[in-house]
Every structure is written in structure tokens, then in C-alpha cells.
Amino acid sequence: MGWVATPELVAASSNAGAFGFLACAVMTPAEAREEVARLRDLTPHNFGINFHSFQPGAAEIVEVILANRDRVRAVSFGRGPDAKMIARFKDAGILCIPTVGAVKHAEKMVQLGCDMVVVQGGEGGGHTGSVPSTVLLPQVLDAVNVPVVAAGGFGDGRGLAAALAYGACGIAMGTRFLMTAESPVPASTKGRYVKAGTNDIVVTTKVDGIPQRMILNPALARIEQSGRIGMWLRAVEAGLAMKRQTGASFIDLYHAAKGMTSHGGLSLMQAMMAAAAPMMIQRAVVDGADADGLMATGVVGGRLADLPTCAALIDSIMTEAEARLTALRGLGTQE
């Protein structure tokens, strides 16, 4: 949700009754500090921060989080944080809620001291696995003894009721919030999301060598046709773009890539190519270049055809979930 989960969207979702996460994984430490300050002014509610432990300036962003411990109540992340970093957050009273896509990753995160896990099934957008939520969710619930949040394929109250029935404590949604009135994504790109059907959403490994779920548009079609040399050229181009945007030195970028290879399970080529996706996603979700940028999406995006306000969305989810749970309780009473 880089460039999408801005202070405005996080505040709108939090004010509507959800718990929003500010996307700091694409920010410099100075930007993160400024955006956290803006978010504090936009909502009276606590919020979370998502970041990448190998991004340039990660150590400084950790300090920004800790300095705002009175309002930042949770951090989310994928690969990377070690037990020492997790312990610092826990000592500050900040919940650690990683997103995982495999049972072994959930178990490892709990062993490291994480308080909760978000389980993203293969239906999820962006980097995704191959195991559907309906299989992965119960597997993780059986394997760990911490609260579990379900993600991947959820977009309405029926999904919330289903996740609760499995034993999850709630659901997390990315695509559904991207497709809201308060989302900062330009109208042209939002229009592409609204028009996309499930057949327009594919999983590709050509962006950075790892499966990612995206809308098939001209930019992705060109990438799908590119060879190994083209992939390397794109990785170098993305590295230069990241250097310009973050102000990081080549040494910083090298150490970030090496960190991803040693702890993230990526090859050096994959780590370099991983920088390409955010830059190309930025073209679509910031610049509005819906044909020339990449659009990560969950497969659920193929059945979403509206752009409600966050307040209307949360209200409809809660109303529908309560109705479904009431109906299920009624079925049990009849028996």
C-alpha cells in the first residue's frame, strides 16, 4: 500500500472504526516523521506503521516509531526484523504484527516474540503465495497461539463472518481500501481498478522473480515479454530511481540488497529487481499512468465495482457480518 496508505486514508479508515497502518516502507526517515505528525493531527485514534527493515533509513524510521509510541500502537512488516528489534517495540508497548504467507513463517515470527500475525492467502495482492486463504488460515490457526488476522480475498461482511468462523480475530484489507473515495490514487488508475474483472488479474514472476498479483495492463504485458537482460536493466534503472528519491548512497542500497539476500531469501538479482516494483507502482498510484505503471491488487479487486467512503464501507461490512452471523445462529437454533 505504498503511496496509497497516506495519512488521509489511514485517518479516514481509523475514524470509521478500522485500525489503519501508515505505509512508511516507501518513505525516507524525514518523510516518515512528517507524515506521522500529520496523521496525529488528522485522527484522535491510535494507528500502526508499516515499514521494511532493509529499506534505506530503516533504523531512523524505527526511532520515529518509538518516539511516537503514545499513538503508534502497532507495527507491521514482512521479512526482516530480528528478535532484538521486536523486543524494542514490545518494551515500548507497541504490538508487532507481521504479515506471513506460510505456516513456517508464522511460527518463526511467534518464536521471535511477535504478538499477532496477519495471514495472507494466495488471493492477496502484490507479493503472494500459492496457498488459498481457506487452507492457509486454518493451518496457521492450528500452529500458533497468538491472535490471527485473515487477509487475501476479503472485501465485505460475508468475508469477515467467514474469517471469524474459522477462528480469526478479524480481517485485513488492502485492495478494498485502495478502492475508496479517500484513497489518494488518481481517478484514472482507480477507474482501471473498477473496470478490471477477475480474468484481468494475474500472478507474475517477471517483476522481481517472486510471484506478484497485479492487473494485466500494457506495462505488465511488456514486462512479461522481457528477457533476463531486460530484467537486469530494469533493476539497475529502479536502483537509480530509488537513489534519487531516497537520497541513499550506492553503499546504502547495496547493504539493503544484501540484507534482503541474507535474511529475505532473495538472490542478488531478485533483491535489485525488488526495487523496480515500487518505482513502477508509483507511476500508476501517484502519477496516474494506469497504462505505464504497475497496479498490485488482490483477486478480490475483480469483483469490486464501486468507490465507497471509508465510513460507508466499514458500516456495510459490519452490518452484513452481523446479519450473516445472526442467520448462522438461527440455523443452529433450528437444529
Side-chain angles (χ1 to χ4, degrees):
M1 294 287 280
W3 298 289
V4 177
T6 59
E8 289 76 15
L9 181 57
V10 175
S13 61
S14 296
N15 292 341
F19 185 84
F21 281 86
L22 180 67
C24 289
V26 294
M27 297 181 189
T28 64
E31 289 170 337
R33 189 175 298 107
E34 179 181 338
E35 296 297 85
V36 169
R38 285 208 307 121
L39 180 52
R40 291 177 65 110
D41 291 337
L42 291 173
T43 178
H45 303 290
N46 294 330
F47 53 88
I49 286 181
N50 174 270
F51 76 106
H52 192 307
S53 66
F54 294 122
Q55 69 188 84
E60 290 88 345
I61 288 178
V62 169
E63 297 307 320
V64 171
I65 295 171
L66 293 173
N68 288 275
R69 68 189 69 184
D70 61 317
R71 295 292 303 281
V72 178
R73 307 308 301 154
V75 291
S76 66
F77 43 78
R79 301 179 179 89
D82 55 20
K84 182 178 180 181
M85 182 182 291
I86 291 171
R88 290 193 69 195
F89 288 131
K90 289 174 67 70
D91 289 345
I94 298 173
L95 298 175
C96 292
I97 313 176
T99 296
V100 300
V103 176
K104 64 179 180 180
H105 296 152
E107 293 174 330
K108 180 179 179 180
M109 288 295 101
V110 173
Q111 290 171 2
L112 289 175
C114 290
D115 305 280
M116 304 170 63
V117 292
V118 174
V119 176
Q120 179 178 299
E123 299 92 328
H127 288 120
T128 190
S130 58
V131 183
S133 296
T134 51
V135 176
L136 182 62
L137 179 59
Q139 282 185 313
V140 174
L141 284 164
D142 289 342
V144 302
N145 59 356
V146 298
V148 173
V149 177
F154 297 95
D156 58 22
R158 292 173 296 180
L160 174 56
L164 295 176
Y166 272 108
C169 63
I171 57 175
M173 299 177 291
T175 304
R176 177 67 278 190
F177 279 104
L178 182 152
M179 295 174 64
T180 57
E182 293 92 345
S183 167
V185 175
S188 58
T189 300
K190 280 185 182 179
R192 182 69 71 114
Y193 273 92
V194 169
K195 293 178 182 178
T198 52
N199 290 334
D200 301 313
I201 298 171
V202 299
V203 174
T204 177
T205 59
K206 282 295 191 73
V207 174
D208 61 7
I210 306 173
Q212 291 200 60
R213 190 178 296 281
M214 297 183 170
I215 292 176
L216 182 59
N217 67 344
L220 184 56
R222 289 194 298 271
I223 290 174
E224 282 290 289
Q225 296 169 6
S226 64
R228 189 175 181 85
I229 293 177
M231 294 166 73
W232 268 108
L233 290 174
R234 192 169 65 255
V236 173
E237 178 185 4
L240 293 173
M242 180 170 285
K243 183 179 185 301
R244 290 192 298 269
Q245 178 164 312
T246 64
S249 67
F250 284 114
I251 293 178
D252 290 334
L253 294 175
Y254 174 77
H255 285 310
K258 290 296 291 182
M260 294 174 72
T261 60
S262 60
H263 297 285
L266 305 181
S267 68
L268 181 59
M269 179 182 179
Q270 288 175 325
M272 290 181 65
M273 288 171 62
M279 297 301 107
M280 294 194 70
I281 288 173
Q282 185 181 27
R283 293 180 191 174
V285 302
V286 176
D287 302 332
D290 58 281
D292 297 323
L294 295 179
M295 292 178 284
T297 182
V299 71
V300 70
R303 70 175 182 84
L304 302 178
D306 60 348
L307 300 170
T309 65
C310 288
L313 173 62
I314 297 300
D315 182 66
S316 67
I317 287 176
M318 295 304 296
T319 299
E320 186 177 35
E322 289 170 356
R324 294 312 309 151
L325 293 172
T326 298
L328 292 173
R329 283 192 290 266
L331 290 174
T333 301
Q334 292 175 11
E335 293 180 357

